[in-house]
Amino acid sequence: MTDAQLAVDIKIGLLINECERVTAVARRLVQTCNCSLQRVGDAELDALVKDNHPRVDVLRVVEAVQIFAQQGRPSVDVSWDCARRDMSHKRQYLDILRQLDRDTISPETMAAVEPYASDEDLRPAKVQKYSPAGAALCEWFLSGVYYCLPSNVCPQLIDSFLSVYKYVQASKAVKACEDQLETAMEEYDRLARGDAPAYADIVSN
């Protein structure tokens, strides 16, 4: 293997490692933040359901959860009355959140919840002051968004980089390898663009 091939090989290996690292971090974060739902007891959820005039930030948290949990379907009712009805069935409501398959979240859903996820007022520490249940739901929502960003991207990218890696191993056409790597890296930048690290920070703060 020439020095040029080795350089391409190393770059691909580093990118694969980064994808795997981000995915592992996201999965651990989701496991941790799912525990937040265990903090939503009957009293906390009852207090939220009985709030006739919730603060705007608490209301937006609940809206975000409704959209995310129902996969952003156009028919999703994000009204407070609908959310209260859903939350009044406590066990069923929390079970739906626990059982959500984040690996099936569509790009359309991610686009629908992006305004909520990027809202700096929708942070667990801020919402906690007014609604413990709202803060736990906020943590659940943000962890799910953070998980979806890398988890939807990394498996595709790892396969892509591995394909280039195999091509490098078998080919002497270093320029072609470099071109493929550049294309793969552009795809990485396109797919992984966003504020994924920020979501980890805001959920943990």
Side-chain angles (χ1 to χ4, degrees):
M1 179 180 290
T2 66
D3 289 344
Q5 285 177 305
L6 180 59
V8 172
D9 191 8
I10 291 172
K11 287 181 182 178
I12 295 170
L14 290 173
L15 285 169
I16 291 173
N17 288 340
E18 176 63 11
C19 286
E20 291 174 338
R21 183 193 67 79
V22 173
T23 300
V25 168
R27 291 185 185 281
R28 286 199 302 272
L29 181 64
V30 166
Q31 290 171 357
T32 300
C33 288
N34 267 345
C35 294
S36 65
L37 297 181
Q38 296 177 8
R39 301 199 306 270
V40 185
D42 288 352
E44 289 79 13
L45 204 54
D46 280 341
L48 182 56
V49 169
K50 292 176 181 178
D51 190 345
N52 293 319
H53 303 287
R55 286 175 53 89
V56 172
D57 48 3
V58 175
L59 183 60
R60 280 177 57 77
V61 164
V62 175
E63 288 177 0
V65 169
Q66 293 285 93
I67 295 170
F68 195 62
Q70 297 186 50
Q71 302 252 15
R73 292 192 294 272
S75 59
V76 172
D77 186 347
V78 297
S79 69
W80 181 236
D81 286 342
C82 179
R84 292 171 79 180
R85 282 198 304 272
D86 290 345
M87 289 187 292
S88 66
H89 304 286
K90 305 177 188 68
R91 179 169 296 182
Q92 181 181 355
Y93 178 76
L94 294 177
D95 281 347
I96 289 173
L97 301 189
R98 291 190 187 97
Q99 295 167 13
L100 179 68
D101 183 358
R102 295 175 178 84
D103 290 318
T104 65
I105 299 296
S106 68
E108 292 76 17
T109 298
M110 293 297 288
V113 300
E114 194 280 331
Y116 298 90
S118 60
D119 186 343
E120 294 186 359
D121 287 330
L122 301 192
R123 301 295 179 257
K126 293 183 178 180
V127 179
Q128 176 71 34
K129 301 174 185 177
Y130 311 103
S131 171
L137 293 175
C138 186
E139 189 174 67
W140 175 89
F141 164 67
L142 290 173
S143 73
V145 170
Y146 174 55
Y147 170 85
C148 288
L149 287 175
S151 70
N152 284 342
V153 168
C154 287
Q156 305 169 38
L157 294 176
I158 290 173
D159 287 344
S160 175
F161 295 145
L162 282 173
S163 295
V164 180
Y165 177 88
K166 292 175 183 177
Y167 183 80
V168 171
Q169 298 291 322
S171 174
K172 294 181 180 179
V174 177
K175 182 63 171 67
C177 294
E178 291 176 339
D179 289 345
Q180 285 201 23
L181 177 60
E182 183 176 354
T183 299
M185 291 180 71
E186 288 175 356
E187 182 70 356
Y188 176 88
D189 288 339
R190 182 184 73 79
L191 291 173
R193 187 180 299 118
D195 302 320
Y199 289 115
D201 294 339
I202 59 181
V203 169
S204 61
N205 290 338

